[in-house]
């Protein structure tokens, strides 16, 4: 990842950014064969979360209104189309219907959990990050009232995934996978395998 993205997570001192002479920091075969398992040891994640939370400035929660529950969706578009060849047998492109169905499923789960925890239904905000260059129009998302953010800053996407989300719905993209793996323990990660 780029240096700025590590700074967003507060991990610049833990993961010093240096370019290797070959341009490769880790053998791709190693992490694609083990999928996300290479990152998911409990001690590693606990340590990384502690570092991230120490550096992330969280406002005092005492006098703040309850924040809405947030579903963050990363939809990889741009160079990813249904016409692109498969990667390790998986199509990289996931249609809008895939994301819309997952959003509805997890909105229902959050609503059910919210209503069982208190008398008052907590609002659920859906934020969709994507690119304006897309095979399928993304109008359906804004028509449903979701906050559609196109061509935005990539560090804002990482920040939303790692710190602001209760549910993260990932595309088949390592860009969103990294902050999702390191996201807060309260976050539910919806991952569609692609390696």
């Amino acid at each position: 990842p780029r240096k700025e993205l590590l700074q967003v997570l507060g991990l610049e001192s833990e993961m010093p950014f240096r370019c290797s002479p070959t341009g490769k920091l880790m053998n791709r075969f190693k992490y694609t064969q083990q999928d996300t398992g290479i990152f998911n040891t409990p001690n590693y994640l606990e340590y990384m979360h502690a570092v991230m939370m120490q550096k992330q400035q969280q406002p005092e929660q005492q006098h703040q209104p309850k924040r809405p529950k947030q579903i963050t969706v990363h939809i990889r578009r741009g160079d990813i189309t249904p016409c692109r060849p498969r990667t390790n047998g998986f199509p990289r492109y996931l249609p809008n219907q895939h994301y819309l169905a997952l959003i509805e499923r997890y909105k229902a789960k959050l609503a059910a959990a919210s209503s069982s925890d208190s008398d008052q239904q907590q609002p659920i905000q859906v934020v969709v990050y994507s690119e304006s260059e897309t095979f399928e129009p993304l109008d359906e998302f804004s028509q449903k009232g979701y906050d559609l953010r196109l061509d935005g800053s990539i560090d804002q996407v990482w920040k939303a995934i790692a710190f602001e989300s209760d549910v993260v719905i990932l595309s088949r993209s390592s860009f969103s996978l990294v902050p999702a793996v390191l996201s807060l323990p309260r976050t539910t990660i919806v991952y569609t395998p692609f390696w």
Side-chain angles (χ1 to χ4, degrees), residues 66-129:
K66 247 186 172 179
R67 68 172 185 81
K69 294 287 186 181
Q70 182 168 313
I71 298 175
T72 301
V73 185
H74 174 245
I75 301 178
R76 174 78 190 271
R77 291 294 191 249
D79 63 332
I80 302 297
T81 72
C83 307
R84 187 175 170 154
R86 292 174 175 251
T87 303
N88 295 334
F90 293 103
R92 295 285 305 276
Y93 187 88
L94 294 168
N96 289 351
Q97 262 328 110
H98 170 82
Y99 297 102
L100 290 165
L102 288 173
I103 291 168
E104 290 306 313
R105 181 183 309 158
Y106 284 91
K107 274 178 63 178
K109 286 183 178 193
L110 284 176
S114 171
S115 64
S116 67
D117 290 345
S118 70
D119 298 335
Q120 200 172 20
Q121 187 79 6
Q122 204 172 352
I124 299 170
Q125 175 182 355
V126 178
V127 181
V128 179
Y129 291 94

Side-chain angles (χ1 to χ4, degrees), residues 18 49-50 58 75 103 137 147 151 154 170 180 183:
R18 293 188 186 100
H49 287 145
Q58 296 288 338
I75 301 178
I103 291 168
D147 183 357
D151 306 319
I154 59 177
L170 302 176
S183 65

Side-chain angles (χ1 to χ4, degrees), residues 130-159:
S130 191
E131 299 164 86
S132 55
E133 180 187 337
T134 180
F135 181 82
E136 275 180 282
L138 299 168
D139 301 337
E140 292 174 276
F141 296 96
S142 51
Q143 288 167 0
K144 290 190 170 282
Y146 304 151
D147 183 357
L148 185 59
R149 300 181 187 180
L150 302 177
D151 306 319
S153 114
I154 59 177
D155 58 331
Q156 184 55 45
V157 179
W158 269 37
K159 184 177 180 183

